[in-house]
Amino acid sequence: QQQVKQSPQSLIVQKGGISIINCAYENTAFDYFPWYQQFPGKGPALLIAIRPDVSEKKEGRFTISFNKSAKQFSLHIMDSQPGDSATYFCAAVSTGNQFYFGTGTSLTVIP
Amino acid sequence: DAGVIQSPRHEVTEMGQEVTLRCKPISGHNSLFWYRQTMMRGLELLIYFNNNVPIDDSGMPEDRFSAKMPNASFSTLKIQPSEPRDSAVYFCASKTHTWGTEAFFGQGTRLTVV
């Protein structure tokens, strides 16, 4: 059973464009929502995270939008760059500290 | 700190053989996770240890999979017997138990069962 649903599976964006990745969850016990970035041959690494008492968090070109009532959250990458090409995973973390990841989105930014 | 260290980086084995994947978490981290990554299912949580004790192993696919954490600095994931459908990248991650802190991943072990 997939605890976190992520879409799209792949995304192609022109340099300078906006990349948007969406995630949804059902379990209301989740209370921490990080996004991880993974480059080929590497393990995922934390990109940005949000708590459910905040509706938006921005760090540089990366923004998380969080809708608690809809149980949805999304990652926006502004001014997308070729170096952003990677696989992105959303995650939901339970109060018991278990991390559940989405299926991943492969982002390609075309120069 | 060298980060989370996994070995081997690559493993090719024949169907039916036993496979053991190893993980050394970051010193001081008391939570350890094993994940399996495939194209179809993304990152699947297999098992989660806290203070060396398995807390949740509901993600372990079947009895062929077993995991141990004999001490705070070492964990193993064993598959016996291995099958071609076990082919995937297996990641180990560790973190402190503090809420809202980052989980650090190792480089992964790419397992191919032929």
Side-chain angles (χ1 to χ4, degrees):
Chain A
Q1 180 186 0
Q2 194 70 35
Q3 297 267 7
V4 181
K5 293 180 169 54
Q6 182 173 348
S7 63
Q9 186 174 4
S10 63
L11 183 60
I12 300 174
V13 174
Q14 293 275 359
K15 179 182 175 182
I18 302 173
S19 304
I20 302 174
I21 304 170
N22 300 300
C23 286
Y25 65 98
E26 287 297 325
N27 190 340
T28 55
F30 294 138
D31 62 0
Y32 176 63
F33 301 88
W35 285 86
Y36 278 71
Q37 180 187 54
Q38 183 184 30
F39 292 104
K42 302 292 186 182
L46 179 66
L47 181 64
I48 185 172
I50 196 167
R51 298 182 336 228
D53 56 347
V54 177
S55 61
E56 185 176 283
K57 183 173 182 180
K58 183 176 181 179
E59 289 184 1
R61 296 183 294 107
F62 300 90
T63 300
I64 301 177
S65 297
F66 187 83
N67 186 329
K68 187 175 181 178
S69 61
K71 289 185 276 188
Q72 295 175 347
F73 58 111
S74 60
L75 175 70
H76 291 64
I77 306 174
M78 311 299 289
D79 187 26
S80 299
Q81 299 297 312
D84 297 332
S85 296
T87 299
Y88 292 80
F89 291 94
C90 61
V93 185
S94 69
T95 50
N97 221 16
Q98 286 122 303
F99 279 61
Y100 294 96
F101 286 87
T103 49
T105 296
S106 176
L107 171 66
T108 302
V109 181
I110 300 172
Chain B
D1 199 315
V4 176
I5 299 173
Q6 291 186 245
S7 64
R9 289 294 311 277
H10 303 273
E11 177 80 36
V12 180
T13 190
E14 291 185 349
M15 182 174 63
Q17 295 298 305
E18 177 180 297
V19 175
T20 299
L21 311 182
R22 296 172 175 80
C23 175
K24 176 178 169 54
I26 292 173
S27 177
H29 284 188
N30 48 13
S31 296
L32 184 139
F33 309 83
W34 281 99
Y35 287 90
R36 177 171 66 179
Q37 183 176 18
T38 60
M39 288 294 294
M40 290 299 296
R41 300 175 69 90
L43 279 166
E44 296 176 271
L45 176 63
L46 300 178
I47 188 169
Y48 160 49
F49 290 89
N50 189 47
N51 291 327
N52 313 336
V53 176
I55 302 300
D56 180 4
D57 65 355
S58 60
M60 297 286 263
E62 47 198 276
D63 291 346
R64 297 185 297 106
F65 285 70
S66 62
K68 294 182 179 179
M69 192 164 186
N71 57 62
S73 59
F74 184 65
S75 178
T76 59
L77 178 67
K78 185 178 294 186
I79 308 172
Q80 166 64 18
S82 57
E83 296 182 3
R85 61 192 169 114
D86 301 331
S87 298
V89 180
Y90 291 80
F91 285 101
C92 174
S94 72
K95 70 184 297 290
T96 67
H97 194 63
T98 304
W99 177 89
T101 55
E102 179 178 357
F104 292 85
F105 282 76
Q107 299 254 47
T109 295
R110 180 173 294 278
L111 173 64
T112 303
V113 183
V114 297

